[in-house]
Amino acid sequence: MEQHETAPWGYGRWVTRRVAVGTIVAIWLLAGLVSFVPISFNLHRPNTPDDDNGKKYPTCALDLTPTYAVVSSCISFYVPCIVMIGIYC
């Protein structure tokens, strides 16, 4: 019987501590890029109109651009969900 890399008894050989830590670090970096970079450059909010005096006041509303909302939810939820369902099947 041929052993494949997907066999449970071979899991410990290819998922070493280094691979597990590297994967966790990569996931956290990706999550940070998806959330902090657009927010830092104010790319997550649509342009708000000025008030009567031409001044902009910060609001506590959750106004997101459609592009940011779609990309963020795909990267952080839908793609991982599809991958997990595929792996479990």
Side-chain angles (χ1 to χ4, degrees), residues 40-82:
S40 297
F41 291 112
N42 206 21
L43 300 174
H44 68 294
R45 298 176 115 185
N47 291 333
T48 55
D50 296 340
D51 71 350
D52 296 334
N53 297 331
K55 296 180 181 177
K56 291 185 178 182
Y57 294 101
T59 61
C60 191
L62 183 61
D63 295 330
L64 301 175
T65 60
T67 305
Y68 176 76
V70 169
V71 170
S72 176
S73 26
C74 283
I75 291 174
S76 59
F77 179 75
Y78 292 111
V79 172
C81 181
I82 291 168

Side-chain angles (χ1 to χ4, degrees), residues 1-34:
M1 182 169 148
E2 184 178 327
Q3 292 183 357
H4 298 284
E5 291 297 322
T6 57
W9 51 85
Y11 180 82
R13 284 184 293 204
W14 61 275
V15 179
T16 61
R17 182 176 179 88
R18 174 179 270 172
V19 170
V21 169
T23 302
I24 292 169
V25 168
I27 289 169
W28 275 100
L29 287 174
L30 179 62
L33 286 174
V34 167

